[in-house]
Amino acid sequence: MQHAARPTPSTSPSVSVSASAAAQLSVRPGQTLLVCLPPGASLVVQQGCLALRSGPIVWGQVVASQADLGVLEAGQCRTAVAGSGTEWMELSNPGHTTARAVLTEPVPVLSPLVGLLRACLARVVRALRAQGGPGLGTSGNGQHAG
């Protein structure tokens, strides 16, 4: 999940997201990104360095970062604490070469309620089929080809 603060075409970051809930970040020198680190997520710097600031704080129409959180060099990682709230951070590249990082988020776990709902729906479908009612994928209007 990445947000750039009003990017222009010449300063927008490149991002690719895969099904594994990982985003590749490519941050050019002088560029700044706003990222969300949900509980259990990790930010791993692969190349270069990234300066981290906490934030954002909104004052009127201005979004401002708060405190310096340090610098991550290649090979270093910042992991959000599971059970804590979502952490918003401002990332910037203070270096002279493009920094590359991976933002990995945990795969969401379905609520037990979703599993219960699925089981109930499956029972309803089985009961309808057993009574000769319309099954899934049929119109139920009694018309048959033939």
Side-chain angles (χ1 to χ4, degrees), residues 21-25 42-46 50 78 100-104:
Q24 298 285 330
L25 304 177
S42 299
L43 176 69
V44 180
V45 177
Q46 296 176 322
L50 292 173
R78 180 173 181 97
R100 301 197 190 289
V102 176
L103 177 62
T104 306

Side-chain angles (χ1 to χ4, degrees), residues 37-44 72 77-82 87:
L37 210 59
S42 299
L43 176 69
V44 180
L72 289 180
C77 174
R78 180 173 181 97
T79 302
V81 178
E87 181 179 19

Side-chain angles (χ1 to χ4, degrees), residues 5 46 49 52 55 74 80 84 89-91 95-97 99 101 104 124 130 138 141 144:
Q46 296 176 322
C49 66
L52 310 176
S84 66
M89 290 186 297
E90 182 183 276
L91 306 178
H96 300 290
T97 61
T104 306
V124 168
T138 62
N141 60 11
H144 299 287

Side-chain angles (χ1 to χ4, degrees), residues 8-97:
T8 61
S10 62
T11 62
S12 62
S14 66
V15 178
S16 63
V17 179
S18 69
S20 65
Q24 298 285 330
L25 304 177
S26 182
V27 187
R28 291 186 294 267
Q31 195 173 31
T32 300
L33 304 176
L34 184 61
V35 298
C36 170
L37 210 59
S42 299
L43 176 69
V44 180
V45 177
Q46 296 176 322
Q47 175 183 328
C49 66
L50 292 173
L52 310 176
R53 291 181 59 86
S54 65
I57 299 296
V58 178
W59 292 308
Q61 298 299 317
V62 179
V63 176
S65 59
Q66 284 187 320
D68 285 324
L69 298 174
V71 175
L72 289 180
E73 301 284 339
Q76 293 182 320
C77 174
R78 180 173 181 97
T79 302
V81 178
S84 66
T86 298
E87 181 179 19
W88 283 92
M89 290 186 297
E90 182 183 276
L91 306 178
S92 61
N93 182 351
H96 300 290
T97 61

